[in-house]
Amino acid sequence: MSRTEQELRELFRSTHVMPAGTAKFAALEEVIRHADALGLVEFAFEVRMEATEVFQQSWAPAKAFLTFSWCLAAYDREPARFDGGHEETLLWQFKWMVSSVHQFPEIPLGGTADLLDDMERRYRRGGHSPHAVLQHRGLAAEATGDLARAQEYYEQMALTRRDALSDCSGCVPSSQVRTLVALGRDEEAIRLGEPARGSGCTEQPQWINSELLLPYLRTGRGEQAAEAHRSAYRRIRGNPGSLGELASNLLFCAHSGNPGRGLDLIERHLSWLDRARTPLADMEFAAAAVAVLSAVEAGGDGASALRFPTVEGRRRPDTTVTALAAELRERALGLAARFDARNGNGYQSARMGEWMTAGPIGEPVPLPGTGTDPRSRSGERVHRLTDRVAALVAAGDPPGAARARAELAETLLAVERPTEAAEAAEEAVRELDRHGAPEEAASCRWLLARIHQQHGRRGDAAERLRQLLDDTDDADRPASLPARPDLEVRLGELLGNGAEPAARYLAASLGFAAAGRTADRLRALVQAMWRHPYSDTEAETGLLRDILTEARTVLAAPDPARTTEVVVVLRGYVDQIRATGRHREAADHLAAARTLLEQHLATDRADPGAAEELVDVLTELGEARLRLGDPAAAEEAALAALAVAGDDGCTWDAALLAARVLRGRGAAAEAAELMAAHDITEDDLSEAEEY
């Protein structure tokens, strides 16, 4: 079926919101196919550029080779047809290609070398730093067993300037740590890698944390290793493209005396081998899994059953620890042999042999909730509860089976199997409702809401909480359920902004007031004001009137012990009344807030929260005074904000206000000095005046 250009563009736009997976891949490939048929070269180029990123960032880098090669050839044929931004993107994507080619044993080493040489030529021709080229030459050398060359490239890269085409401050150390670990330079790896654990890159912190696991263990830093594992796995668990990082975490389980945890991960993620990102990742996962399985066998549990979840309608047959170890050992060694044949050495076979025989390093590292005994693992608890549910169903005890399902759901949630946990909890709710157990059903609905919330299904979690709040009588509330105001807050968090979340927070505030929970009351009230839609404030009726009535009750008798929280309420109140044009009233309230905070700080100068709040109040007060035609008062408030904040405070907004007022009264030199000190531009001033 042919498609028009408009249809293709609409289909392409629709792929932007699709999750990574076969459906998105197929849609992109369909757009490409039809764009080629219609001769839409620029559009086909654009789609392929995006497809390259999609394939590379998921688990299909082999597909990225094809789209990237087409774009590179098209650009080389007619560079004038494309702009400089396209060249920049191609040079960036070159890094992805060279990071992947050596991970496929069927691609000769000469192909990797040629691609790296081409990358270097293009970088030099564009005047770019060779930093990224050296990084990827080093990674390729390490992966093919040329550790001397890998060290040489590492040292050259460390002396080379970075530029806009270098990887980010998280990914560069990750690749360097990989080389240092292969060279056995653990302390250096830790010193270099630890600062990158705070990187905000999409590849981080899971990559750097996974690379640091082995050096942490080899240097006796078990606690840091456990935290790095927890942090990495939280980011890995939903992405099949992270198979390589998962292998490092499996190896950590073998090295740290946590084979039970490793078995859980193997059962949960073995299906990822069906769509392994690269043969290298496939091999490393298989070998790391063998290390875990061998540890369990050594403990006498080789006959233990392994059961696998259903994934995309398919389920792997049950097997035993021993049988799976044999299967994966053969798989890892077969892949290692293919790499060695390509590389002309025995590096990967030797490396995988070491991985598969990996034993504990140092003392066992405790992981909360898992224990160190191979038999004390969550997978066995799941199996035991599953069998218990089946036995109760067979015995004709549906209520008992429902209670067991609820316990099973709790366990599945604890071991991060949310899909199965939700299924078990849903069935438990249905059965408990059917057999007249409202308190237990309410507890299970709360569990179901938590399952959905913790795993990103906010709409489903909100619906469950609504049911819980609407259907559960406070008199019959089970002890396992949070108090009603706490549930209202949870629902408000899920709903975002608008009338309903504002109403939920208001209800929570009133409930906290009745319970004497003052701090919680103030926080909920602030959220009620901030979540209320400003478009509804003009009439000040209904919900908003109730919110402001509650706020006025708080402000009528402020609690000196909670000055900062009360001021936050007052500022939320000011936001609402200012939206109705009541600027003088807003200014009066801000002046009152200033007085409260200054009195508080006079007795407690060590309260940084109050000082920060005072800076904001003074800045807002200055804005209000300026709007009311009193520039002298505005200048006084802005300069007071700068004085309170000092040199280390966040004062840009106050400085901008002061500069505006100074300019207005002709003090151009003072304004210029203030602007220079706070990096304020003429455009900033113009935008503030327009606002």
Side-chain angles (χ1 to χ4, degrees):
M1 180 184 72
S2 62
R3 289 180 179 267
T4 66
E5 180 178 350
Q6 181 179 352
E7 289 173 335
L8 287 181
R9 291 187 180 277
E10 289 176 355
L11 177 57
F12 180 46
R13 281 195 293 271
S14 73
T15 66
H16 296 163
V17 295
M18 296 173 66
T22 53
K24 184 167 188 169
F25 300 164
L28 287 168
E29 288 167 341
E30 181 178 354
V31 174
I32 290 169
R33 187 169 60 254
H34 286 285
D36 287 346
L38 292 174
L40 303 173
V41 178
E42 288 89 347
F43 180 55
F45 186 95
E46 177 188 356
V47 177
R48 281 185 169 91
M49 292 275 277
E50 180 156 329
T52 298
E53 181 172 359
V54 170
F55 295 148
Q56 179 68 24
Q57 301 300 333
S58 55
W59 55 88
K63 290 179 177 289
F65 293 156
L66 301 177
T67 53
F68 174 80
S69 298
W70 188 96
C71 289
L72 192 64
Y75 183 84
D76 286 345
R77 280 194 306 270
E78 300 178 273
R81 195 166 190 167
F82 308 98
D83 60 35
H86 287 130
E87 180 183 22
E88 195 90 354
T89 303
L90 282 170
L91 292 178
W92 185 272
Q93 292 184 349
F94 241 110
K95 299 187 299 182
W96 298 343
M97 299 305 106
V98 298
S99 71
S100 296
V101 289
H102 59 77
Q103 299 188 42
F104 290 80
E106 57 269 26
I107 298 178
L109 288 184
T112 301
D114 290 345
L115 191 61
L116 279 162
D117 290 344
D118 189 19
M119 177 183 176
E120 183 167 1
R121 280 193 299 271
R122 292 173 189 270
Y123 272 50
R124 290 190 183 281
R125 186 175 65 200
H128 303 292
S129 169
H131 185 275
V133 178
L134 292 167
Q135 175 188 358
H136 289 284
R137 285 194 184 280
L139 286 172
E142 182 272 323
T144 55
D146 191 348
L147 298 185
R149 186 66 60 85
Q151 178 169 330
E152 178 184 336
Y153 287 132
Y154 166 79
E155 291 170 352
Q156 290 180 31
M157 182 178 66
L159 299 174
T160 304
R161 68 176 177 86
R162 293 178 58 193
D163 66 2
L165 287 176
S166 298
D167 281 354
C168 74
S169 59
C171 290
V172 168
S174 298
S175 65
Q176 292 175 308
V177 167
R178 185 177 181 93
T179 299
L180 291 170
V181 172
L183 296 171
R185 293 159 62 175
D186 292 329
E187 291 288 354
E188 187 177 349
I190 293 169
R191 285 196 304 273
L192 181 69
E194 281 196 324
R197 294 184 64 188
S199 169
C201 170
T202 56
E203 301 294 323
Q204 302 298 344
Q206 62 270 31
W207 184 12
I208 188 65
N209 278 329
S210 298
E211 296 292 353
L212 285 172
L213 290 171
L214 185 56
Y216 274 149
L217 288 174
R218 289 197 302 212
T219 58
R221 296 173 169 90
E223 187 174 340
Q224 290 97 317
E227 175 53 33
H229 165 66
R230 283 192 293 269
S231 175
Y233 183 69
R234 281 196 296 269
R235 299 285 292 271
I236 288 169
R237 62 190 178 196
N239 180 17
S242 297
L243 190 66
E245 288 92 341
L246 184 58
S248 298
N249 283 268
L250 278 177
L251 205 58
F252 159 79
C253 293
H255 284 314
S256 64
N258 288 285
R261 166 70 165 175
L263 282 179
D264 287 342
L265 301 187
I266 291 169
E267 285 184 314
R268 198 175 307 159
H269 299 294
L270 188 64
S271 63
W272 286 6
L273 282 180
D274 296 338
R275 45 183 173 177
R277 177 180 175 81
T278 66
L280 182 70
D282 186 331
M283 174 185 72
E284 290 183 343
F285 177 89
V290 170
V292 170
L293 296 164
S294 297
V296 176
E297 281 189 288
D301 289 299
S304 293
L306 298 176
R307 302 173 185 174
F308 307 97
T310 299
V311 178
E312 296 181 351
R314 293 177 296 172
R315 182 176 178 276
R316 184 186 177 100
D318 294 350
T319 187
T320 65
V321 168
T322 297
L324 185 60
E327 176 189 336
L328 295 182
R329 184 177 292 107
E330 182 179 356
R331 183 177 186 129
L333 291 175
L335 285 165
R338 288 167 54 194
F339 277 108
D340 289 347
R342 193 271 308 271
N343 299 340
N345 57 33
Y347 176 69
Q348 291 295 1
S349 290
R351 189 167 77 103
M352 292 303 98
E354 291 177 3
W355 277 35
M356 289 187 289
T357 57
I361 297 176
E363 294 297 316
V365 176
L367 294 177
T370 61
T372 57
D373 185 341
R375 292 162 291 189
S376 177
R377 62 188 184 95
S378 55
E380 290 194 359
R381 293 198 299 276
V382 170
H383 299 161
R384 187 170 62 252
L385 286 167
T386 301
D387 292 341
R388 183 176 161 206
V389 170
L392 289 166
V393 170
D397 184 2
R403 295 182 186 98
R405 276 197 178 92
E407 188 178 349
L408 173 61
E410 287 274 14
T411 301
L412 289 166
L413 176 61
V415 299
E416 297 163 333
R417 289 163 65 170
T419 301
E420 297 164 90
E423 291 173 356
E426 290 275 12
E427 182 61 28
V429 167
R430 283 193 292 269
E431 287 296 319
L432 291 167
D433 280 339
R434 185 178 299 122
H435 291 87
E439 292 187 13
E440 291 170 300
S443 295
C444 208
R445 283 192 175 88
W446 168 233
L447 167 61
L448 193 51
R450 287 189 287 119
I451 293 169
H452 291 322
Q453 183 175 8
Q454 288 180 27
H455 294 86
R457 298 172 63 180
R458 297 172 64 89
D460 291 333
E463 184 56 34
R464 287 299 178 182
L465 282 175
R466 279 196 196 94
Q467 293 175 358
L468 198 55
L469 286 162
D470 294 344
D471 299 343
T472 305
D473 190 328
D474 282 351
D476 298 326
R477 178 177 301 276
S480 60
L481 234 61
R484 177 173 286 272
D486 293 300
L487 292 176
E488 297 279 12
V489 166
R490 292 289 285 264
L491 181 52
E493 290 172 352
L494 291 168
L495 293 173
N497 295 319
E500 184 184 357
R504 295 293 181 179
Y505 276 112
L506 175 60
S509 179
L510 296 170
F512 288 138
R517 294 169 58 179
T518 305
D520 292 325
R521 176 196 189 185
L522 298 176
R523 284 192 288 268
L525 178 56
V526 169
Q527 291 296 327
M529 287 188 283
W530 286 350
R531 302 300 179 101
H532 189 276
Y534 281 99
S535 59
D536 292 346
T537 58
E538 292 183 5
E540 197 178 309
T541 57
L543 174 61
L544 178 60
R545 185 179 60 239
D546 293 341
I547 292 173
L548 296 183
T549 297
E550 165 74 347
R552 282 192 290 270
T553 302
V554 169
L555 299 174
D559 181 353
R562 300 198 175 277
T563 295
T564 303
E565 294 102 316
V566 169
V567 168
V568 174
V569 170
L570 193 151
R571 288 180 62 203
Y573 181 78
V574 165
D575 282 347
Q576 291 290 350
I577 63 173
R578 191 163 45 195
T580 67
R582 292 148 61 183
H583 299 293
R584 188 165 299 281
E585 185 181 346
D588 290 343
H589 280 295
L590 288 168
R594 174 183 184 173
T595 301
L596 282 173
L597 287 168
E598 287 176 340
Q599 290 173 347
H600 174 67
L601 286 168
T603 59
D604 186 3
R605 295 184 178 278
D607 184 348
E612 291 172 8
E613 199 66 38
L614 180 55
V615 171
D616 291 339
V617 165
L618 287 165
T619 304
E620 291 182 21
L621 177 59
E623 290 281 0
R625 295 301 191 202
L626 187 60
R627 181 182 287 272
L628 292 169
D630 190 351
E635 181 180 343
E636 185 277 331
L639 294 177
L642 294 172
V644 170
D647 294 335
D648 300 326
C650 182
T651 57
W652 191 87
D653 288 331
L656 177 62
L657 173 62
R660 288 166 58 197
V661 178
L662 289 167
R663 276 276 190 93
R665 68 174 175 84
E670 293 177 59
E673 183 180 350
L674 199 59
M675 291 170 65
H678 291 83
D679 294 324
I680 297 170
T681 67
E682 292 291 339
D683 287 342
D684 294 328
L685 279 182
S686 298
E687 289 177 11
E689 293 291 349
E690 291 173 6
Y691 178 75

